[in-house]
Amino acid sequence: MMWAMDEGLENMVVSGAPYGGPIAMVRDRKQFVRIVTTAKPVITIYNCVGNIISKILWNNGVLIHMGWSDSEQLLCVQESGDVLIYDMFGAYQKSFNLGQEVRDTKVARAQLFSNPHGIGLAVITTTNRMFVVSNVNEPKVQSVPDIPRANESIISWCVLSSWLRSPTVLGFLVCRDKEIYKCQLGETRAVLMRPEISNAYTQILSIVPSQNGRHVALFTDSGFLWIGSSDFRTKYCEIDTEYIKQPKELVWCGSQALVAHWDDTMCIYGFNGKSVTYPYDGPFHIIVEMDCVRVISEMTHELIQKVPVEVEKIFSINSTAPGSYLVEASKQFQKRSHRADEYIRLVKPDLPNAVQNCIDAAAYEFNPDIQKMLIRAAQFGKGFIIDPILTDHYVRTCRWLRVLNAVRDPKVAIPLTYRQAEHLRERVLLDRLIWRRLHCLAGHVASYLQLHDGRTRVLSHWACYKVTQPHTDNESAAREIGDKLRNVPGISYSTIAMKAAEKGRKALAIKILEYETYSKLQVPLLLTLGEGPRALQKATASGDTDLIYIVLLHLKEKMGKHEFELTIRNFPLAHALYIKYCASHNREALRKVYVQEDDFPGQAATHIRDAVEQTNPGSAEASLISARECYKKGKNDLGASICEDARKLCKQQSSLQETYGTSFIGLSMHDTVKKLLEQGEVKLADKLRSEYKMPDKRYWWLRILTLAKLNDWDELERFSKSKKSPVGYEPFVDACLKHGKNDEALKYLPKCRDDIKVKYYVKAEFYEDAAQVAFEQKDRSALIFVQSKCPLRETVKHDKISSLIEQLGTRK
């Protein structure tokens, strides 16, 4: 260790992050020591070789507990129930509170614990009320049942998380004198537990659950260590530790042994009742890991774990395991000795297991020389067998060993075991290197472990870190980021630019955004940075109308009216879309745009739309007058004339509405005349028709349809004879047939055009007449058409038509 401490370890509260994480230390406020530096507490964060990473000057309330989250963030629990979260570099991240009741009664004790939901937090207040948060990333405070006689003091306690049960059960084990209570979430009251403890005692000084929640250990004031199941139904053993006072630390080493710390002595106790004692030359602290413990002293940082079975098989004395023979065969082969063949013959029936054993044992070893020896043995044995699965395992283990040796290096200082690395997985390990800003190593690890998006993640974080460094100038930083990140898939330059903007480097953020290829990511951030014109330029260049609308509405809200109009005038597409938007949502704004641009047809169009939507005749007439004047200014005589005609019609419609009491306002000329004809006002309709020069054909159609609708067939006949029909007589026939008046239609059929007369006779179901007309026209195909349309039940008509067809054939 290369400590740079102002005070010794004996005066420190130590909290180490799991999985080889950093170590936080602060002076123990319960001890009286001579102050060397500042009176305020300072939390110092070290890496695993004792180098200082950061310092946090504690200006907040009374610090009750420190611990680490699964993302290596330091959680500081205050007496008030506030939990402050810092990263390993001492930067404040966020905070949360445990509620008003905790704030009022104050936190007395706190523990962080792991469970399937993440890292949880449990607290006991000064009134012995218990609260728990299952996941500090999503804090939700829950209370657990109180123990009986809650005002009496609690000697020891722990959080029990039953991982093997589904759903996971969280609860407290609380010890008061001889009593042990289990207080579980979801229950209404605490349950008194009754462990079978043989040796006399008066108090339980310490209680510790295993990480998997299956076992629990108790230390009594008589110096005995009781180990059993977490439900207290099974006792494994009771061990006389020969120590009466409470251990400074009592923790589990994996789930198969316990480690106790008294002064300068460490003892390890197993389930079989055996123990091992290790004396130390000074103070030390223990950090719990999933499969081992780390021991930090003023001189060393050690790791204690149970020897893995795979390693024991190979290296135990007089071992006859296949892996042990294979290692010996490999050694003899390197010496070029014939004995290598003898050892291979011994192990050959079980060679795949031997190779597997060597590979697994190499993974658990920390010493590179031993790793190499075991890997060479595995490679030697692999040459005698063909096993693709074993080969893949060999390659994967070699890759992991190289990565683990790199991160265990003192310059990196992450002492991970192989089992911990397997539990973390590649991505989390990569994240931990990135959080430490070891971007170069992280990049090599990502490439070596073949993580498909690893390089992208590393470079993204590197760029985000780069833009926060104040000593780099904007131009060179942007150029370096652009050069390094060019052709890297999945890079979000907008995220990097946002990070720069958060640090107040707006100019750098704008430069970085130039590299962003996705306009939907680029434009919103430009708007946030106040670069409206540039955002509009990028949006129009993309051709995305939705994006342009977003920019336009943002600029309209943020800019003055004159500035906004001058800005969008430089972008024709944006200007056109703004006009379209105004046409649908704000006609008055549209009219103002047209006025500024002297667009008289556009102004007239807005007035005409106003007139169409008006229900008040006076308002509609005024809008049409305005439209007429606009057309006159624009020298559009046709438009002015049409508006004038529309105004007159509007005035006449108002008069008609007053006269007849029905709605005429808003009707077209066609509908107005039609309505007058339906009401029998033929002279008035004729007058309007003449005044507004309605075409004769349209008028005749209207008269025909209206008279047919009114069933005035005599008047229809008189109208047909009034003068020659400009629309022909087919419309008369159609109108009659539409209302089922085939006899009336017969009056007009002879006047139909010769080329369609036969079809109209057939349409009116006068098949004999149709055949006669076709015969007179000497049109045999027409006769056949009539015969095909004539119903088969009309045998007389069929015979007559057949006779005419024969006569026509004979005549030819």
Side-chain angles (χ1 to χ4, degrees), residues 142-184:
Q142 297 172 282
S143 62
V144 296
D146 294 335
I147 59 174
R149 307 187 309 281
N151 58 332
E152 296 181 19
S153 62
I154 294 172
I155 304 300
S156 58
W157 70 292
C158 67
V159 181
L160 184 66
S161 175
S162 302
W163 286 61
L164 301 181
R165 291 181 62 182
S166 182
T168 303
V169 177
L170 290 177
F172 286 63
L173 292 176
V174 181
C175 301
R176 186 171 56 199
D177 297 333
K178 281 190 171 186
E179 299 171 339
I180 302 175
Y181 289 97
K182 188 173 186 179
C183 308
Q184 198 164 287

Side-chain angles (χ1 to χ4, degrees), residues 56 69 71-75 83-96 137 435 437 499 503:
I56 304 169
S69 73
S71 55
E72 294 190 315
Q73 292 182 320
L74 182 65
L75 283 78
V83 181
L84 278 64
I85 302 175
Y86 299 85
D87 68 12
M88 70 175 70
F89 295 98
Y92 172 78
Q93 301 298 305
K94 60 181 179 179
S95 65
F96 65 89
N137 292 324
W435 293 336
R437 301 169 185 169
K499 195 73 176 177
K503 294 295 179 180

Side-chain angles (χ1 to χ4, degrees), residues 443-507:
H444 287 305
V445 168
S447 300
Y448 196 65
L449 294 180
Q450 298 176 348
L451 299 177
H452 73 278
D453 61 342
R455 185 163 173 253
T456 300
R457 291 166 63 200
V458 172
L459 288 175
S460 293
H461 190 278
W462 167 81
C464 288
Y465 172 67
K466 183 79 175 176
V467 298
T468 61
Q469 302 306 297
H471 61 271
T472 56
D473 68 278
N474 296 338
E475 192 67 43
S476 60
R479 192 185 311 111
E480 186 178 356
I481 288 169
D483 290 344
K484 278 208 173 183
L485 271 56
R486 187 177 288 116
N487 301 325
V488 177
I491 289 290
S492 173
Y493 289 97
S494 59
T495 304
I496 302 165
M498 194 177 296
K499 195 73 176 177
E502 287 172 3
K503 294 295 179 180
R505 305 188 70 178
K506 178 182 170 182

Side-chain angles (χ1 to χ4, degrees), residues 313-522:
K313 283 180 182 177
I314 292 175
F315 294 112
S316 61
I317 297 171
N318 296 326
S319 172
T320 58
S324 181
Y325 285 132
L326 182 58
V327 170
E328 194 58 41
S330 174
K331 288 179 180 177
Q332 297 299 329
F333 177 73
Q334 288 166 42
K335 293 177 184 177
R336 301 185 179 278
S337 169
H338 67 280
R339 296 187 66 191
D341 184 58
E342 296 175 12
Y343 282 110
I344 281 291
R345 288 180 185 278
L346 284 172
V347 78
K348 199 158 190 178
D350 209 9
L351 197 54
N353 287 338
V355 173
Q356 177 86 31
N357 191 186
C358 289
I359 294 170
D360 293 341
Y364 290 119
E365 284 292 336
F366 271 69
N367 189 325
D369 292 331
I370 299 176
Q371 290 172 2
K372 289 176 185 176
M373 179 186 73
L374 292 167
I375 287 295
R376 283 195 192 101
Q379 186 183 25
F380 178 63
K382 200 162 61 69
F384 295 93
I385 57 174
I386 299 173
D387 189 337
I389 295 174
L390 205 56
T391 301
D392 290 342
H393 181 52
Y394 172 84
V395 172
R396 184 173 179 277
T397 303
C398 287
R399 283 183 176 153
W400 264 114
L401 280 174
R402 189 169 182 184
V403 170
L404 287 172
N405 289 337
V407 299
R408 289 167 183 165
D409 187 278
K411 293 177 183 177
V412 182
I414 306 178
L416 276 178
T417 66
Y418 181 71
R419 190 169 293 168
Q420 291 168 13
E422 274 192 319
H423 187 260
L424 283 181
R425 311 297 296 169
E426 298 93 333
R427 295 186 177 281
V428 179
L429 177 58
L430 188 68
D431 285 339
R432 296 196 168 208
L433 293 173
I434 290 171
W435 293 336
R436 286 166 172 75
R437 301 169 185 169
L438 301 171
H439 300 107
C440 182
L441 176 60
H444 287 305
V445 168
S447 300
Y448 196 65
L449 294 180
Q450 298 176 348
L451 299 177
H452 73 278
D453 61 342
R455 185 163 173 253
T456 300
R457 291 166 63 200
V458 172
L459 288 175
S460 293
H461 190 278
W462 167 81
C464 288
Y465 172 67
K466 183 79 175 176
V467 298
T468 61
Q469 302 306 297
H471 61 271
T472 56
D473 68 278
N474 296 338
E475 192 67 43
S476 60
R479 192 185 311 111
E480 186 178 356
I481 288 169
D483 290 344
K484 278 208 173 183
L485 271 56
R486 187 177 288 116
N487 301 325
V488 177
I491 289 290
S492 173
Y493 289 97
S494 59
T495 304
I496 302 165
M498 194 177 296
K499 195 73 176 177
E502 287 172 3
K503 294 295 179 180
R505 305 188 70 178
K506 178 182 170 182
L508 176 58
I510 293 168
K511 289 181 181 296
I512 291 170
L513 274 178
E514 292 296 325
Y515 295 101
E516 182 58 71
T517 55
Y518 292 101
S519 301
K520 286 187 177 179
L521 298 174
Q522 184 183 41

Side-chain angles (χ1 to χ4, degrees), residues 116-132:
H117 304 294
I119 297 297
L121 170 65
V123 299
I124 296 181
T125 66
T126 53
T127 57
N128 289 339
R129 288 274 288 146
M130 292 168 280
F131 298 88
V132 65

